[in-house]
């Protein structure tokens, strides 16, 4: 069974930490090798160089310029890389906010993703409160978060929280203070057929 699993949610929710923690248990439970594709790891240096040239701020990841011109190519590159791995029999975990794609239900669309119909799609929405997310962002002291923190009220207002039809099929995970059983339950839900 090939799986394409998305760990989505806003900054500070712990998407990457959660994906890394569950990689081994997912491989064991599914019997499939996995690759981890984190947006910041794959495109962070490239985007820093591009934004440095365009705006003089290599740490900008949230301005309208970034969102309009670099966001989409980064996400398409993640999906293209996942597709290459899936074609080789390697399941993939993609980590990124992907809120627009969740809202528009694109992550459940095999044709939009360009993956075979037999690939199992799972979308995990990782969430915490705004306060916890902000504390985590401040604590990690990543320069890429400077714009978010400087414009926190605007950033917070545009954060999408799935509801109604956009929530259908999401594996909701509250990452505020999960217990070991919560991780086990999430792994079981991801690999369930």
């Amino acid at each position: 069974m090939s799986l394409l699993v998305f760990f989505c949610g806003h900054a500070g929710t712990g998407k990457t930490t959660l994906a890394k923690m569950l990689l081994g248990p997912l491989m064991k439970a599914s019997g499939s090798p996995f690759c981890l594709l984190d947006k910041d790891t794959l495109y962070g240096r490239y985007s820093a160089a591009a934004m440095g040239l365009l705006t003089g701020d290599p740490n900008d990841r949230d301005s309208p310029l970034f969102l309009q011109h670099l966001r989409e190519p980064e996400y398409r590159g993640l999906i293209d890389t996942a597709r290459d791995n899936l074609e080789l029999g390697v399941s993939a975990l993609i980590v990124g906010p992907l809120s627009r794609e969740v809202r528009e239900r694109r992550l459940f669309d095999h044709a939009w993703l360009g993956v075979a119909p037999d690939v199992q799609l799972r979308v995990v929405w990782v969430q915490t409160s705004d306060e916890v997310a902000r504390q985590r962002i401040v604590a990690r002291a990543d320069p890429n978060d400077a714009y978010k923190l400087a414009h926190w009220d605007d950033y917070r207002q545009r954060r999408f929280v799935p509801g109604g039809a956009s929530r259908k099929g999401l594996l909701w995970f509250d990452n505020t203070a999960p217990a070991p059983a919560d991780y086990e339950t999430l792994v079981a839900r991801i690999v369930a057929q």
Side-chain angles (χ1 to χ4, degrees):
M1 164 177 62
S2 292
L3 282 159
L4 176 53
V5 184
F6 295 92
F7 282 79
C8 307
H10 299 291
T13 59
K15 300 177 299 293
T16 302
T17 302
L18 179 63
K20 287 179 178 179
M21 180 187 310
L22 296 184
L23 188 64
L26 282 169
M27 286 193 281
K28 184 176 180 182
S30 68
S32 175
F34 272 84
C35 67
L36 174 68
L37 305 172
D38 183 321
K39 181 183 89 67
D40 293 334
T41 302
L42 287 173
Y43 295 103
R45 290 178 191 242
Y46 171 81
S47 294
M51 291 308 289
L53 288 171
L54 291 171
T55 68
D57 182 2
N59 299 315
D60 176 0
R61 297 295 184 282
D62 289 285
S63 70
L65 180 73
F66 176 86
L67 295 174
Q68 183 176 0
H69 296 289
L70 290 179
R71 179 195 183 278
E72 182 73 16
E74 283 187 356
Y75 287 149
R76 289 311 307 180
L78 283 170
I79 292 166
D80 292 345
T81 305
R83 183 174 45 255
D84 285 350
N85 279 277
L86 289 163
E87 290 170 358
L88 295 170
V90 178
S91 292
L93 299 181
I94 292 181
V95 179
L98 291 152
S99 55
R100 184 182 312 159
E101 291 74 13
V102 168
R103 181 177 29 249
E104 296 171 359
R105 311 247 343 124
R106 291 180 177 173
L107 304 182
F108 294 100
D109 184 343
H110 286 83
W112 186 84
L113 293 166
V115 299
D118 62 336
V119 171
Q120 300 294 310
L121 303 175
R122 302 290 186 267
V123 182
V124 179
W125 184 265
V126 184
Q127 64 96 31
T128 63
S129 68
D130 287 351
E131 180 182 323
V132 169
R134 189 173 197 290
Q135 289 170 358
R136 289 178 179 173
I137 291 169
V138 169
R140 71 184 180 197
D142 185 333
N144 294 333
D145 293 323
Y147 188 93
K148 282 182 202 72
L149 292 172
H151 302 88
W152 183 255
D153 287 335
D154 291 337
Y155 170 71
R156 194 172 52 78
Q157 292 299 320
R158 67 179 165 87
R159 286 174 47 150
F160 162 74
V161 177
S166 66
R167 190 168 173 159
K168 184 181 176 189
L170 292 179
L171 302 178
W172 200 267
F173 190 79
D174 184 343
N175 203 22
T176 303
D182 297 323
Y183 299 121
E184 293 167 11
T185 299
L186 180 57
V187 168
R189 292 178 71 199
I190 291 171
V191 300
Q193 293 192 26

